Amino acid sequence: MAPGVSEAASVTPQTVLQAPTDRAPADTAAEIGEARAAGPEAVGPLERGLAMLRIMAAASGPMRPGDLARVTGLARSAADRVVATLVHLGHLRAEERELMLAPRLMELGNAYLDASGYSRALRPSLERLTRTLEESVSAIVLDGCDARIVGKAVPAGRMIPLGSRVGDLLPAERCAAGAVLATAWNSETYATWRGRHTADPFDAGFPDVPPRRTAPLPERREADFTAWTAETAANGWALDDQLVAPGLVALSVPVFFPDGRPVCAISMLAHTSRRSADQLRDHALPAMTDAAQDIADALYDTSRIPVAASLPASPAYTDAKSELGPFFLQALARGLAVLTALGRQPGGLTLAEAAEATGLSYPSTRRNLLTLRRLSYVEQHGRRFLPAPRVLELGYARLSTLTLADIARPHLADLVGQVRESASLAVLDGAEVRYVARVATEQITSARITPGTRLPAYATSMGRVLLAGLPEAERQKRLRTVRPQALTPYTLTSHAALASALERAAREGFALVEQELETGLRSLAVPVRDSSGRAMAALNIALHAGPEPPEHTRDTMLPALHACAARVEADLAVAFPHAPVITD
């Protein structure tokens, strides 16, 4: 065991969360000075990489490496090295000459949500609350002097769900949650808040709220906000009547640290066409107060906190210098590996544990932690380090809206480029498969299928993979409702034959269908599994049933199909670690 790990074992997640966010060891300032003095080779690549990710996250669409070089002021060669490293790490994706955020970037935000305990504590209460009250609800924490959304639930079936995305930042004085969190502000936080207003009096830096038409006088703005905060402290809740945006009202209640400070706020949002501000308070306050207590219990009740697993045996950092040569920035990759590793254990890691988790040396880990702390991406509480809410600004909000189709499409395109045949992704919908993504080749024999197309599950390779992935009782129930028809002379139409085909697909992990849906069409499919191991989608290759036997297609294309499914599964695991996959 690494030095310091055993004595840190007595530090539980709740003691880390109870530590004031502005507390640091007496020698922290000196250590940061040492990190700065270490020179640009030590910290520069990490800072440049994080800056580039921030720029990409704030951009309205894809960017080119040249654009990033101009915006950052870097030489093109330096920008290209940062880009190459981020693409290799999977945080950016390159398509032709354009760069986009990639789902794996969300692992940085997930590290914050896991280490803080929010990923475990919030979801049950938020979902129960929105089911009960039929309004959108969010969990919001203090990030600097403003409010960062860290959890969200929306009513099922609502065509236009209200609220911002997980990761979005709101001005504290324009949301009820901000007033709740400001009840514990100190003079330093107020000074930061004043400085932010001076630099951005119209709130132009908050893309999720309408900008102000006029900037209020600083004295009036502060007097109004402090009065609202005092009223919130007296009431135990805050009400926002169309401050965040016209037509929206919000009620917010605190979730308390054991010492009585607010650790986060639970905020419910409604449209004035449904409820006035007072009506929302009367409708939601008791249930929200109960939910806030449940969340506090989940965060701080030691009997409900899972025992931290031992650190992973495989280190998080992988050196790609030999593969990419000078285009691989080790300092950037190591810094991001350290940041990700802090989410491996509730309550964060000590320096020694972080070094063990990443496989890096003690000095390298220490230097990266101090750099990340200086940049406000990491907080230090005693001997432990954990990601800060600011990590969510690195594209989490945009990537959190990705659907199954969004995630799968680039991988399908890569697969099609490799095998030169059309590829699709589908989900099971009753007795049919529904296509959610497809990349077709430009061949005469290509099937004319588009997303949204439905086909009978019993006669398709994807349908059989998905039916085979059901629990035995559910599979038999589905089969009893199927009335198979002979779509071609080769279609399996007996229930016994179909049951046998499904058992084989379950056993072998793939399904091959030869001309059962349409004469001349061959299809090979494999499952795409969620984090629980359930086959939640299927991936296939469709091609002309030419002179080669079906076994030739299986042997030549199955490895590429499995590899593609594994890449989709890896992205889904990062994008939906604690929530159902969005299939629509």
Side-chain angles (χ1 to χ4, degrees), residues 411-454:
H411 298 297
L412 292 180
D414 291 343
L415 177 64
V416 169
Q418 181 180 354
V419 303
R420 304 298 180 186
E421 300 289 353
S422 299
S424 304
L425 192 81
V427 295
L428 192 62
D429 195 345
E432 299 174 316
V433 292
R434 174 169 52 84
Y435 282 68
V436 297
R438 179 170 171 81
V439 176
T441 57
E442 297 298 328
Q443 298 180 12
I444 296 176
T445 56
S446 295
R448 299 294 181 252
I449 295 173
T450 59
T453 297
R454 294 172 179 269

Side-chain angles (χ1 to χ4, degrees), residues 40-51:
E41 285 303 314
V43 299
L46 178 56
E47 294 187 49
R48 290 195 291 268
L50 290 168

Side-chain angles (χ1 to χ4, degrees), residues 260-518:
R261 293 176 298 115
V263 58
C264 70
I266 305 304
S267 189
M268 180 160 286
L269 197 65
H271 198 276
T272 52
S273 62
R274 287 173 55 84
R275 292 182 174 91
S276 68
D278 289 340
Q279 288 171 336
L280 178 63
R281 179 196 57 212
D282 295 342
H283 171 69
L285 185 56
M288 289 181 66
T289 302
D290 290 343
Q293 185 59 56
D294 289 342
I295 291 169
D297 290 343
L299 284 171
Y300 303 117
D301 184 349
T302 56
S303 66
R304 298 170 64 174
I305 295 176
V307 177
S310 59
L311 295 174
S314 57
Y317 171 71
T318 303
D319 195 344
K321 194 72 173 179
S322 59
E323 179 182 348
L324 295 182
F327 277 88
F328 182 71
L329 295 174
Q330 290 177 319
L332 172 56
R334 288 170 177 170
L336 294 178
V338 168
L339 181 55
T340 303
L342 298 181
R344 301 278 182 94
Q345 190 164 282
L349 302 177
T350 64
L351 197 160
E353 289 172 336
E356 180 184 355
T358 56
L360 297 172
S361 69
Y362 193 94
S364 176
T365 304
R366 176 175 176 271
R367 182 168 58 246
N368 281 295
L369 285 172
L370 293 173
T371 299
L372 290 165
R373 188 186 188 284
R374 175 170 59 83
L375 298 173
S376 300
Y377 288 109
V378 161
E379 296 173 352
Q380 183 176 355
H381 302 296
R383 297 177 58 247
R384 287 191 173 271
F385 297 84
L386 67 162
R390 191 187 184 193
V391 170
L392 294 173
E393 78 174 0
L394 300 175
Y396 203 90
R398 179 181 296 180
L399 292 169
S400 68
T401 63
L402 292 177
T403 66
L404 172 61
D406 296 327
I407 290 173
R409 201 172 291 113
H411 298 297
L412 292 180
D414 291 343
L415 177 64
V416 169
Q418 181 180 354
V419 303
R420 304 298 180 186
E421 300 289 353
S422 299
S424 304
L425 192 81
V427 295
L428 192 62
D429 195 345
E432 299 174 316
V433 292
R434 174 169 52 84
Y435 282 68
V436 297
R438 179 170 171 81
V439 176
T441 57
E442 297 298 328
Q443 298 180 12
I444 296 176
T445 56
S446 295
R448 299 294 181 252
I449 295 173
T450 59
T453 297
R454 294 172 179 269
L455 295 174
Y458 70 88
T460 63
S461 62
M462 290 192 288
R464 288 187 186 171
V465 161
L466 291 168
L467 289 170
L470 295 173
E472 181 64 26
E474 176 65 16
R475 187 196 308 172
Q476 295 301 325
K477 179 180 178 181
R478 296 282 186 112
L479 275 178
R480 286 194 295 269
T481 64
V482 171
R483 299 292 181 264
Q485 299 178 5
L487 304 175
T488 76
Y490 306 98
T491 309
L492 297 182
T493 56
S494 77
H495 283 85
L498 284 172
S500 177
L502 295 183
E503 290 173 2
R504 180 176 180 181
R507 183 174 63 253
E508 296 182 341
F510 71 91
L512 194 153
V513 169
E514 178 74 4
Q515 304 187 71
E516 295 188 44
L517 179 67
E518 184 176 318

Side-chain angles (χ1 to χ4, degrees), residues 67-86:
D67 299 329
L68 286 170
R70 284 190 294 274
V71 173
T72 58
L74 293 174
R76 178 60 188 268
S77 59
D80 285 346
R81 293 178 69 193
V82 175
V83 166
T85 303
L86 292 174

